[in-house]
Amino acid sequence: MSNPGTPTFEQLRVFLAVVDAGSFAGAARRLNRAVSVISYGIANLEAQLGIELFEREGTRKPKLMAAGRTVLAEARALAHGLDGLRAKVKGLLDGLEAEVDIAVDVMLPAERLGKVLHAFAETFRTVSLCLHVEALGAVTAAVLERKAVIGISGPLAVGVEGVECIAAGSVPMIPVAAPDHPLGRMERIEPGEARNHVQLVLTDRSLFTEGQDFAVLSPRTWRLADLGAKHALLRQRIGWGNMPLPLVRPDLESGTLLRLDMPDHKGGIYRFAGVWRRDTPPGPAASWLLDQFVALGANDVEEEGLSDI
């Protein structure tokens, strides 16, 4: 059994140039080398691997053999990998982060999150991103515990020691229930009626919300740490609860959920804030992310009659 040698990257670069240019002469022009140097490089590569890469007889242009096509796929992968490595190192030398960890509040509209992250992927191709989706105080906790360098938090971040904040928009929170829920069937909901029914409440395990309730009216509660589970249970008439309007708008339009007109609870405004540790300012890529969320949040339109949650 024979083992192939290890080609150099320069040999692979010459090989790719011949394939892309379609000839030895074209590769020589691309690499600013003599044709003899290109031919010598390919001959050395074939000797190193122990296989022929090109058919040379009976054709004016080198034609890849089956073995050559196999080597081509691997050579391109290696070239792309090396290009990526060089780009990442250049970014590090220029002060660009290798990775950005970001925590976002689960109430943040998915469309907005997707828009920003899509633009981030296009703008910072060498920067990896780690996304944490958290509820309530867990976003600020992730930043303080250095699990995330920046966060898009709800209102609980304001005033936390060691954390800097900048306004990043808001989302309306409205009370909803399934149409066949007792509250959904009422033509007129009397003040205090919500207390007679199970309220689904979002919660988290962070110290920032320990012992605290937000917009909780009923003494009968089911507490969930997942907004998707709360959404599903609302549609199954398990209870009533407050939800971000963008998330339930399709349900309101289809009739799967109803907006409850409760005289003692119209809903509220859930405000977002970009957050970071005061002693750890975000780098260029993380700062760009913050700027995007802040800019989009400035366009939020708040409904009349709703006060802050």
Side-chain angles (χ1 to χ4, degrees), residues 211-247:
Q212 300 182 58
D213 282 328
F214 304 92
V216 176
L217 275 66
S218 176
R220 302 169 59 193
T221 60
W222 281 24
R223 298 177 183 270
L224 306 93
D226 181 84
L227 187 63
K230 179 180 178 180
H231 191 187
L233 294 184
L234 285 168
R235 287 185 288 190
Q236 293 297 321
R237 65 182 296 270
I238 300 298
W240 71 274
N242 296 297
M243 292 291 283
L245 178 56
L247 179 60

PDB file of all heavy atoms in Angstrom, residues 211-247:
ATOM      1  N   GLY A 211     -39.452  36.648  43.463  1.00  0.00           N
ATOM      2  CA  GLY A 211     -40.467  37.250  44.324  1.00  0.00           C
ATOM      3  C   GLY A 211     -41.221  38.406  43.709  1.00  0.00           C
ATOM      4  O   GLY A 211     -41.978  39.086  44.406  1.00  0.00           O
ATOM      5  N   GLN A 212     -41.034  38.656  42.398  1.00  0.00           N
ATOM      6  CA  GLN A 212     -41.703  39.777  41.740  1.00  0.00           C
ATOM      7  C   GLN A 212     -42.732  39.274  40.728  1.00  0.00           C
ATOM      8  O   GLN A 212     -42.533  38.240  40.092  1.00  0.00           O
ATOM      9  CB  GLN A 212     -40.706  40.669  41.011  1.00  0.00           C
ATOM     10  CG  GLN A 212     -39.653  41.291  41.906  1.00  0.00           C
ATOM     11  CD  GLN A 212     -38.742  42.203  41.102  1.00  0.00           C
ATOM     12  OE1 GLN A 212     -39.185  43.155  40.461  1.00  0.00           O
ATOM     13  NE2 GLN A 212     -37.446  41.914  41.123  1.00  0.00           N
ATOM     14  N   ASP A 213     -43.818  40.025  40.594  1.00  0.00           N
ATOM     15  CA  ASP A 213     -44.822  39.748  39.572  1.00  0.00           C
ATOM     16  C   ASP A 213     -45.014  40.992  38.725  1.00  0.00           C
ATOM     17  O   ASP A 213     -44.924  42.122  39.225  1.00  0.00           O
ATOM     18  CB  ASP A 213     -46.161  39.358  40.213  1.00  0.00           C
ATOM     19  CG  ASP A 213     -46.169  37.922  40.711  1.00  0.00           C
ATOM     20  OD1 ASP A 213     -45.486  37.086  40.086  1.00  0.00           O
ATOM     21  OD2 ASP A 213     -46.841  37.642  41.724  1.00  0.00           O
ATOM     22  N   PHE A 214     -45.325  40.795  37.440  1.00  0.00           N
ATOM     23  CA  PHE A 214     -45.515  41.911  36.522  1.00  0.00           C
ATOM     24  C   PHE A 214     -46.836  41.727  35.783  1.00  0.00           C
ATOM     25  O   PHE A 214     -47.027  40.729  35.087  1.00  0.00           O
ATOM     26  CB  PHE A 214     -44.349  41.994  35.528  1.00  0.00           C
ATOM     27  CG  PHE A 214     -43.005  42.094  36.196  1.00  0.00           C
ATOM     28  CD1 PHE A 214     -42.267  40.956  36.472  1.00  0.00           C
ATOM     29  CD2 PHE A 214     -42.503  43.324  36.572  1.00  0.00           C
ATOM     30  CE1 PHE A 214     -41.036  41.038  37.107  1.00  0.00           C
ATOM     31  CE2 PHE A 214     -41.278  43.422  37.204  1.00  0.00           C
ATOM     32  CZ  PHE A 214     -40.542  42.285  37.475  1.00  0.00           C
ATOM     33  N   ALA A 215     -47.733  42.698  35.955  1.00  0.00           N
ATOM     34  CA  ALA A 215     -49.049  42.682  35.308  1.00  0.00           C
ATOM     35  C   ALA A 215     -49.813  41.401  35.640  1.00  0.00           C
ATOM     36  O   ALA A 215     -50.498  40.829  34.786  1.00  0.00           O
ATOM     37  CB  ALA A 215     -48.908  42.838  33.796  1.00  0.00           C
ATOM     38  N   VAL A 216     -49.693  40.939  36.889  1.00  0.00           N
ATOM     39  CA  VAL A 216     -50.424  39.759  37.339  1.00  0.00           C
ATOM     40  C   VAL A 216     -51.656  40.221  38.115  1.00  0.00           C
ATOM     41  O   VAL A 216     -51.544  40.920  39.129  1.00  0.00           O
ATOM     42  CB  VAL A 216     -49.543  38.856  38.222  1.00  0.00           C
ATOM     43  CG1 VAL A 216     -50.356  37.677  38.750  1.00  0.00           C
ATOM     44  CG2 VAL A 216     -48.350  38.347  37.420  1.00  0.00           C
ATOM     45  N   LEU A 217     -52.849  39.861  37.628  1.00  0.00           N
ATOM     46  CA  LEU A 217     -54.091  40.273  38.261  1.00  0.00           C
ATOM     47  C   LEU A 217     -54.734  39.149  39.055  1.00  0.00           C
ATOM     48  O   LEU A 217     -55.356  39.386  40.086  1.00  0.00           O
ATOM     49  CB  LEU A 217     -55.094  40.756  37.202  1.00  0.00           C
ATOM     50  CG  LEU A 217     -54.999  42.220  36.757  1.00  0.00           C
ATOM     51  CD1 LEU A 217     -53.699  42.484  36.011  1.00  0.00           C
ATOM     52  CD2 LEU A 217     -56.202  42.575  35.885  1.00  0.00           C
ATOM     53  N   SER A 218     -54.591  37.917  38.563  1.00  0.00           N
ATOM     54  CA  SER A 218     -55.319  36.806  39.174  1.00  0.00           C
ATOM     55  C   SER A 218     -54.480  36.111  40.254  1.00  0.00           C
ATOM     56  O   SER A 218     -53.268  35.924  40.082  1.00  0.00           O
ATOM     57  CB  SER A 218     -55.702  35.783  38.088  1.00  0.00           C
ATOM     58  OG  SER A 218     -56.314  34.656  38.676  1.00  0.00           O
ATOM     59  N   PRO A 219     -55.106  35.711  41.339  1.00  0.00           N
ATOM     60  CA  PRO A 219     -54.404  34.907  42.341  1.00  0.00           C
ATOM     61  C   PRO A 219     -54.192  33.468  41.878  1.00  0.00           C
ATOM     62  O   PRO A 219     -53.418  32.723  42.459  1.00  0.00           O
ATOM     63  CB  PRO A 219     -55.339  34.971  43.553  1.00  0.00           C
ATOM     64  CG  PRO A 219     -56.701  35.177  42.963  1.00  0.00           C
ATOM     65  CD  PRO A 219     -56.484  36.020  41.747  1.00  0.00           C
ATOM     66  N   ARG A 220     -54.890  33.113  40.799  1.00  0.00           N
ATOM     67  CA  ARG A 220     -54.760  31.768  40.229  1.00  0.00           C
ATOM     68  C   ARG A 220     -53.842  31.868  39.007  1.00  0.00           C
ATOM     69  O   ARG A 220     -54.221  32.424  37.974  1.00  0.00           O
ATOM     70  CB  ARG A 220     -56.133  31.225  39.828  1.00  0.00           C
ATOM     71  CG  ARG A 220     -57.132  31.168  40.962  1.00  0.00           C
ATOM     72  CD  ARG A 220     -58.525  30.878  40.441  1.00  0.00           C
ATOM     73  NE  ARG A 220     -58.570  29.614  39.708  1.00  0.00           N
ATOM     74  CZ  ARG A 220     -59.586  29.249  38.940  1.00  0.00           C
ATOM     75  NH1 ARG A 220     -60.625  30.065  38.761  1.00  0.00           N
ATOM     76  NH2 ARG A 220     -59.560  28.076  38.316  1.00  0.00           N
ATOM     77  N   THR A 221     -52.636  31.344  39.126  1.00  0.00           N
ATOM     78  CA  THR A 221     -51.661  31.479  38.035  1.00  0.00           C
ATOM     79  C   THR A 221     -51.025  30.153  37.683  1.00  0.00           C
ATOM     80  O   THR A 221     -50.862  29.275  38.532  1.00  0.00           O
ATOM     81  CB  THR A 221     -50.543  32.473  38.410  1.00  0.00           C
ATOM     82  OG1 THR A 221     -49.872  32.000  39.588  1.00  0.00           O
ATOM     83  CG2 THR A 221     -51.085  33.865  38.666  1.00  0.00           C
ATOM     84  N   TRP A 222     -50.699  30.035  36.412  1.00  0.00           N
ATOM     85  CA  TRP A 222     -49.786  29.002  35.933  1.00  0.00           C
ATOM     86  C   TRP A 222     -48.551  29.746  35.455  1.00  0.00           C
ATOM     87  O   TRP A 222     -48.664  30.680  34.666  1.00  0.00           O
ATOM     88  CB  TRP A 222     -50.400  28.220  34.771  1.00  0.00           C
ATOM     89  CG  TRP A 222     -51.401  27.186  35.180  1.00  0.00           C
ATOM     90  CD1 TRP A 222     -52.144  27.157  36.325  1.00  0.00           C
ATOM     91  CD2 TRP A 222     -51.787  26.037  34.421  1.00  0.00           C
ATOM     92  NE1 TRP A 222     -52.972  26.076  36.341  1.00  0.00           N
ATOM     93  CE2 TRP A 222     -52.776  25.359  35.181  1.00  0.00           C
ATOM     94  CE3 TRP A 222     -51.422  25.521  33.193  1.00  0.00           C
ATOM     95  CZ2 TRP A 222     -53.376  24.192  34.729  1.00  0.00           C
ATOM     96  CZ3 TRP A 222     -52.009  24.363  32.724  1.00  0.00           C
ATOM     97  CH2 TRP A 222     -52.974  23.698  33.494  1.00  0.00           C
ATOM     98  N   ARG A 223     -47.373  29.323  35.913  1.00  0.00           N
ATOM     99  CA  ARG A 223     -46.139  30.029  35.572  1.00  0.00           C
ATOM    100  C   ARG A 223     -45.298  29.193  34.611  1.00  0.00           C
ATOM    101  O   ARG A 223     -45.064  28.011  34.855  1.00  0.00           O
ATOM    102  CB  ARG A 223     -45.358  30.381  36.840  1.00  0.00           C
ATOM    103  CG  ARG A 223     -46.160  31.324  37.728  1.00  0.00           C
ATOM    104  CD  ARG A 223     -45.488  31.668  39.034  1.00  0.00           C
ATOM    105  NE  ARG A 223     -46.381  32.520  39.821  1.00  0.00           N
ATOM    106  CZ  ARG A 223     -46.396  33.841  39.758  1.00  0.00           C
ATOM    107  NH1 ARG A 223     -45.533  34.472  38.970  1.00  0.00           N
ATOM    108  NH2 ARG A 223     -47.242  34.538  40.500  1.00  0.00           N
ATOM    109  N   LEU A 224     -44.870  29.843  33.538  1.00  0.00           N
ATOM    110  CA  LEU A 224     -44.110  29.150  32.502  1.00  0.00           C
ATOM    111  C   LEU A 224     -42.845  29.942  32.196  1.00  0.00           C
ATOM    112  O   LEU A 224     -42.853  31.176  32.204  1.00  0.00           O
ATOM    113  CB  LEU A 224     -44.935  29.004  31.215  1.00  0.00           C
ATOM    114  CG  LEU A 224     -46.313  28.346  31.323  1.00  0.00           C
ATOM    115  CD1 LEU A 224     -47.392  29.400  31.528  1.00  0.00           C
ATOM    116  CD2 LEU A 224     -46.609  27.544  30.067  1.00  0.00           C
ATOM    117  N   ALA A 225     -41.762  29.231  31.902  1.00  0.00           N
ATOM    118  CA  ALA A 225     -40.499  29.881  31.550  1.00  0.00           C
ATOM    119  C   ALA A 225     -40.306  29.966  30.040  1.00  0.00           C
ATOM    120  O   ALA A 225     -39.272  30.425  29.579  1.00  0.00           O
ATOM    121  CB  ALA A 225     -39.321  29.129  32.177  1.00  0.00           C
ATOM    122  N   ASP A 226     -41.312  29.535  29.270  1.00  0.00           N
ATOM    123  CA  ASP A 226     -41.186  29.508  27.815  1.00  0.00           C
ATOM    124  C   ASP A 226     -42.377  30.224  27.187  1.00  0.00           C
ATOM    125  O   ASP A 226     -43.535  29.844  27.428  1.00  0.00           O
ATOM    126  CB  ASP A 226     -41.128  28.054  27.325  1.00  0.00           C
ATOM    127  CG  ASP A 226     -40.963  27.956  25.825  1.00  0.00           C
ATOM    128  OD1 ASP A 226     -39.814  28.031  25.352  1.00  0.00           O
ATOM    129  OD2 ASP A 226     -41.979  27.832  25.128  1.00  0.00           O
ATOM    130  N   LEU A 227     -42.102  31.266  26.393  1.00  0.00           N
ATOM    131  CA  LEU A 227     -43.172  32.042  25.779  1.00  0.00           C
ATOM    132  C   LEU A 227     -43.945  31.213  24.755  1.00  0.00           C
ATOM    133  O   LEU A 227     -45.154  31.368  24.600  1.00  0.00           O
ATOM    134  CB  LEU A 227     -42.598  33.298  25.116  1.00  0.00           C
ATOM    135  CG  LEU A 227     -43.608  34.306  24.580  1.00  0.00           C
ATOM    136  CD1 LEU A 227     -44.446  34.880  25.715  1.00  0.00           C
ATOM    137  CD2 LEU A 227     -42.907  35.424  23.819  1.00  0.00           C
ATOM    138  N   GLY A 228     -43.250  30.321  24.049  1.00  0.00           N
ATOM    139  CA  GLY A 228     -43.926  29.463  23.078  1.00  0.00           C
ATOM    140  C   GLY A 228     -44.934  28.541  23.744  1.00  0.00           C
ATOM    141  O   GLY A 228     -46.033  28.317  23.219  1.00  0.00           O
ATOM    142  N   ALA A 229     -44.577  28.011  24.918  1.00  0.00           N
ATOM    143  CA  ALA A 229     -45.509  27.149  25.651  1.00  0.00           C
ATOM    144  C   ALA A 229     -46.714  27.952  26.132  1.00  0.00           C
ATOM    145  O   ALA A 229     -47.857  27.476  26.081  1.00  0.00           O
ATOM    146  CB  ALA A 229     -44.789  26.507  26.831  1.00  0.00           C
ATOM    147  N   LYS A 230     -46.471  29.180  26.583  1.00  0.00           N
ATOM    148  CA  LYS A 230     -47.575  30.041  27.017  1.00  0.00           C
ATOM    149  C   LYS A 230     -48.530  30.313  25.848  1.00  0.00           C
ATOM    150  O   LYS A 230     -49.750  30.240  26.005  1.00  0.00           O
ATOM    151  CB  LYS A 230     -47.019  31.350  27.562  1.00  0.00           C
ATOM    152  CG  LYS A 230     -48.082  32.332  28.028  1.00  0.00           C
ATOM    153  CD  LYS A 230     -47.458  33.606  28.565  1.00  0.00           C
ATOM    154  CE  LYS A 230     -48.507  34.621  28.979  1.00  0.00           C
ATOM    155  NZ  LYS A 230     -47.914  35.870  29.504  1.00  0.00           N
ATOM    156  N   HIS A 231     -47.959  30.600  24.686  1.00  0.00           N
ATOM    157  CA  HIS A 231     -48.750  30.856  23.482  1.00  0.00           C
ATOM    158  C   HIS A 231     -49.630  29.644  23.157  1.00  0.00           C
ATOM    159  O   HIS A 231     -50.832  29.775  22.867  1.00  0.00           O
ATOM    160  CB  HIS A 231     -47.797  31.170  22.337  1.00  0.00           C
ATOM    161  CG  HIS A 231     -48.469  31.711  21.124  1.00  0.00           C
ATOM    162  ND1 HIS A 231     -47.792  31.919  19.934  1.00  0.00           N
ATOM    163  CD2 HIS A 231     -49.746  32.077  20.870  1.00  0.00           C
ATOM    164  CE1 HIS A 231     -48.625  32.395  19.044  1.00  0.00           C
ATOM    165  NE2 HIS A 231     -49.815  32.504  19.574  1.00  0.00           N
ATOM    166  N   ALA A 232     -49.036  28.461  23.220  1.00  0.00           N
ATOM    167  CA  ALA A 232     -49.777  27.238  22.888  1.00  0.00           C
ATOM    168  C   ALA A 232     -50.903  26.989  23.888  1.00  0.00           C
ATOM    169  O   ALA A 232     -52.024  26.609  23.508  1.00  0.00           O
ATOM    170  CB  ALA A 232     -48.824  26.050  22.851  1.00  0.00           C
ATOM    171  N   LEU A 233     -50.651  27.207  25.168  1.00  0.00           N
ATOM    172  CA  LEU A 233     -51.677  26.970  26.185  1.00  0.00           C
ATOM    173  C   LEU A 233     -52.815  27.985  26.083  1.00  0.00           C
ATOM    174  O   LEU A 233     -53.973  27.652  26.344  1.00  0.00           O
ATOM    175  CB  LEU A 233     -51.052  27.015  27.582  1.00  0.00           C
ATOM    176  CG  LEU A 233     -50.059  25.897  27.913  1.00  0.00           C
ATOM    177  CD1 LEU A 233     -49.593  25.995  29.360  1.00  0.00           C
ATOM    178  CD2 LEU A 233     -50.676  24.525  27.659  1.00  0.00           C
ATOM    179  N   LEU A 234     -52.491  29.220  25.713  1.00  0.00           N
ATOM    180  CA  LEU A 234     -53.544  30.211  25.502  1.00  0.00           C
ATOM    181  C   LEU A 234     -54.495  29.759  24.401  1.00  0.00           C
ATOM    182  O   LEU A 234     -55.721  29.879  24.521  1.00  0.00           O
ATOM    183  CB  LEU A 234     -52.927  31.564  25.142  1.00  0.00           C
ATOM    184  CG  LEU A 234     -52.285  32.347  26.289  1.00  0.00           C
ATOM    185  CD1 LEU A 234     -51.456  33.503  25.743  1.00  0.00           C
ATOM    186  CD2 LEU A 234     -53.351  32.872  27.250  1.00  0.00           C
ATOM    187  N   ARG A 235     -53.934  29.227  23.313  1.00  0.00           N
ATOM    188  CA  ARG A 235     -54.772  28.780  22.200  1.00  0.00           C
ATOM    189  C   ARG A 235     -55.592  27.543  22.568  1.00  0.00           C
ATOM    190  O   ARG A 235     -56.581  27.235  21.915  1.00  0.00           O
ATOM    191  CB  ARG A 235     -53.904  28.522  20.969  1.00  0.00           C
ATOM    192  CG  ARG A 235     -53.413  29.807  20.344  1.00  0.00           C
ATOM    193  CD  ARG A 235     -52.660  29.585  19.053  1.00  0.00           C
ATOM    194  NE  ARG A 235     -51.348  28.993  19.264  1.00  0.00           N
ATOM    195  CZ  ARG A 235     -50.428  28.869  18.315  1.00  0.00           C
ATOM    196  NH1 ARG A 235     -50.694  29.289  17.090  1.00  0.00           N
ATOM    197  NH2 ARG A 235     -49.258  28.334  18.571  1.00  0.00           N
ATOM    198  N   GLN A 236     -55.159  26.846  23.613  1.00  0.00           N
ATOM    199  CA  GLN A 236     -55.889  25.658  24.077  1.00  0.00           C
ATOM    200  C   GLN A 236     -56.848  25.993  25.225  1.00  0.00           C
ATOM    201  O   GLN A 236     -57.265  25.113  25.962  1.00  0.00           O
ATOM    202  CB  GLN A 236     -54.893  24.579  24.534  1.00  0.00           C
ATOM    203  CG  GLN A 236     -54.054  23.985  23.419  1.00  0.00           C
ATOM    204  CD  GLN A 236     -54.884  23.260  22.396  1.00  0.00           C
ATOM    205  OE1 GLN A 236     -55.844  22.577  22.747  1.00  0.00           O
ATOM    206  NE2 GLN A 236     -54.525  23.409  21.119  1.00  0.00           N
ATOM    207  N   ARG A 237     -57.170  27.288  25.371  1.00  0.00           N
ATOM    208  CA  ARG A 237     -58.101  27.824  26.375  1.00  0.00           C
ATOM    209  C   ARG A 237     -57.762  27.415  27.806  1.00  0.00           C
ATOM    210  O   ARG A 237     -58.639  27.288  28.656  1.00  0.00           O
ATOM    211  CB  ARG A 237     -59.567  27.476  26.034  1.00  0.00           C
ATOM    212  CG  ARG A 237     -59.944  26.003  26.065  1.00  0.00           C
ATOM    213  CD  ARG A 237     -61.407  25.808  25.647  1.00  0.00           C
ATOM    214  NE  ARG A 237     -62.341  26.436  26.562  1.00  0.00           N
ATOM    215  CZ  ARG A 237     -62.857  25.832  27.626  1.00  0.00           C
ATOM    216  NH1 ARG A 237     -62.494  24.595  27.922  1.00  0.00           N
ATOM    217  NH2 ARG A 237     -63.725  26.475  28.393  1.00  0.00           N
ATOM    218  N   ILE A 238     -56.461  27.196  28.097  1.00  0.00           N
ATOM    219  CA  ILE A 238     -56.053  26.841  29.461  1.00  0.00           C
ATOM    220  C   ILE A 238     -56.236  28.023  30.401  1.00  0.00           C
ATOM    221  O   ILE A 238     -56.537  27.872  31.581  1.00  0.00           O
ATOM    222  CB  ILE A 238     -54.584  26.376  29.486  1.00  0.00           C
ATOM    223  CG1 ILE A 238     -54.394  25.149  28.587  1.00  0.00           C
ATOM    224  CG2 ILE A 238     -54.106  26.079  30.893  1.00  0.00           C
ATOM    225  CD1 ILE A 238     -55.194  23.937  29.012  1.00  0.00           C
ATOM    226  N   GLY A 239     -56.038  29.244  29.886  1.00  0.00           N
ATOM    227  CA  GLY A 239     -56.171  30.432  30.716  1.00  0.00           C
ATOM    228  C   GLY A 239     -56.093  31.672  29.841  1.00  0.00           C
ATOM    229  O   GLY A 239     -56.188  31.593  28.621  1.00  0.00           O
ATOM    230  N   TRP A 240     -55.926  32.833  30.479  1.00  0.00           N
ATOM    231  CA  TRP A 240     -55.726  34.074  29.745  1.00  0.00           C
ATOM    232  C   TRP A 240     -54.351  34.617  30.125  1.00  0.00           C
ATOM    233  O   TRP A 240     -53.758  34.206  31.105  1.00  0.00           O
ATOM    234  CB  TRP A 240     -56.817  35.093  30.050  1.00  0.00           C
ATOM    235  CG  TRP A 240     -56.728  35.687  31.444  1.00  0.00           C
ATOM    236  CD1 TRP A 240     -57.244  35.174  32.592  1.00  0.00           C
ATOM    237  CD2 TRP A 240     -56.060  36.906  31.809  1.00  0.00           C
ATOM    238  NE1 TRP A 240     -56.950  35.976  33.658  1.00  0.00           N
ATOM    239  CE2 TRP A 240     -56.233  37.058  33.219  1.00  0.00           C
ATOM    240  CE3 TRP A 240     -55.354  37.873  31.108  1.00  0.00           C
ATOM    241  CZ2 TRP A 240     -55.704  38.142  33.925  1.00  0.00           C
ATOM    242  CZ3 TRP A 240     -54.829  38.950  31.807  1.00  0.00           C
ATOM    243  CH2 TRP A 240     -55.006  39.076  33.197  1.00  0.00           C
ATOM    244  N   GLY A 241     -53.833  35.555  29.321  1.00  0.00           N
ATOM    245  CA  GLY A 241     -52.526  36.106  29.651  1.00  0.00           C
ATOM    246  C   GLY A 241     -52.150  37.250  28.741  1.00  0.00           C
ATOM    247  O   GLY A 241     -52.807  37.513  27.723  1.00  0.00           O
ATOM    248  N   ASN A 242     -51.093  37.945  29.111  1.00  0.00           N
ATOM    249  CA  ASN A 242     -50.560  39.058  28.322  1.00  0.00           C
ATOM    250  C   ASN A 242     -49.526  38.529  27.335  1.00  0.00           C
ATOM    251  O   ASN A 242     -48.656  37.738  27.706  1.00  0.00           O
ATOM    252  CB  ASN A 242     -49.910  40.086  29.246  1.00  0.00           C
ATOM    253  CG  ASN A 242     -50.914  40.729  30.183  1.00  0.00           C
ATOM    254  OD1 ASN A 242     -51.832  41.399  29.748  1.00  0.00           O
ATOM    255  ND2 ASN A 242     -50.763  40.488  31.480  1.00  0.00           N
ATOM    256  N   MET A 243     -49.624  38.982  26.098  1.00  0.00           N
ATOM    257  CA  MET A 243     -48.703  38.549  25.054  1.00  0.00           C
ATOM    258  C   MET A 243     -48.261  39.740  24.218  1.00  0.00           C
ATOM    259  O   MET A 243     -49.016  40.712  24.053  1.00  0.00           O
ATOM    260  CB  MET A 243     -49.383  37.518  24.135  1.00  0.00           C
ATOM    261  CG  MET A 243     -49.677  36.186  24.798  1.00  0.00           C
ATOM    262  SD  MET A 243     -48.184  35.240  25.165  1.00  0.00           S
ATOM    263  CE  MET A 243     -47.775  34.621  23.534  1.00  0.00           C
ATOM    264  N   PRO A 244     -47.041  39.670  23.647  1.00  0.00           N
ATOM    265  CA  PRO A 244     -46.599  40.740  22.741  1.00  0.00           C
ATOM    266  C   PRO A 244     -47.478  40.751  21.489  1.00  0.00           C
ATOM    267  O   PRO A 244     -47.692  39.705  20.866  1.00  0.00           O
ATOM    268  CB  PRO A 244     -45.148  40.382  22.431  1.00  0.00           C
ATOM    269  CG  PRO A 244     -45.012  38.933  22.764  1.00  0.00           C
ATOM    270  CD  PRO A 244     -45.991  38.653  23.850  1.00  0.00           C
ATOM    271  N   LEU A 245     -47.975  41.927  21.133  1.00  0.00           N
ATOM    272  CA  LEU A 245     -48.906  42.047  20.013  1.00  0.00           C
ATOM    273  C   LEU A 245     -48.369  41.467  18.707  1.00  0.00           C
ATOM    274  O   LEU A 245     -49.101  40.763  17.997  1.00  0.00           O
ATOM    275  CB  LEU A 245     -49.298  43.515  19.832  1.00  0.00           C
ATOM    276  CG  LEU A 245     -50.239  43.833  18.668  1.00  0.00           C
ATOM    277  CD1 LEU A 245     -51.519  43.022  18.748  1.00  0.00           C
ATOM    278  CD2 LEU A 245     -50.543  45.325  18.623  1.00  0.00           C
ATOM    279  N   PRO A 246     -47.088  41.720  18.302  1.00  0.00           N
ATOM    280  CA  PRO A 246     -46.622  41.150  17.025  1.00  0.00           C
ATOM    281  C   PRO A 246     -46.707  39.629  16.978  1.00  0.00           C
ATOM    282  O   PRO A 246     -46.964  39.058  15.914  1.00  0.00           O
ATOM    283  CB  PRO A 246     -45.161  41.624  16.951  1.00  0.00           C
ATOM    284  CG  PRO A 246     -45.118  42.852  17.797  1.00  0.00           C
ATOM    285  CD  PRO A 246     -46.064  42.576  18.930  1.00  0.00           C
ATOM    286  N   LEU A 247     -46.518  38.976  18.117  1.00  0.00           N
ATOM    287  CA  LEU A 247     -46.540  37.511  18.133  1.00  0.00           C
ATOM    288  C   LEU A 247     -47.950  36.965  17.933  1.00  0.00           C
ATOM    289  O   LEU A 247     -48.138  35.949  17.248  1.00  0.00           O
ATOM    290  CB  LEU A 247     -45.955  36.997  19.450  1.00  0.00           C
ATOM    291  CG  LEU A 247     -45.938  35.482  19.635  1.00  0.00           C
ATOM    292  CD1 LEU A 247     -45.107  34.799  18.548  1.00  0.00           C
ATOM    293  CD2 LEU A 247     -45.400  35.113  21.019  1.00  0.00           C
TER     294      LEU A 247
END
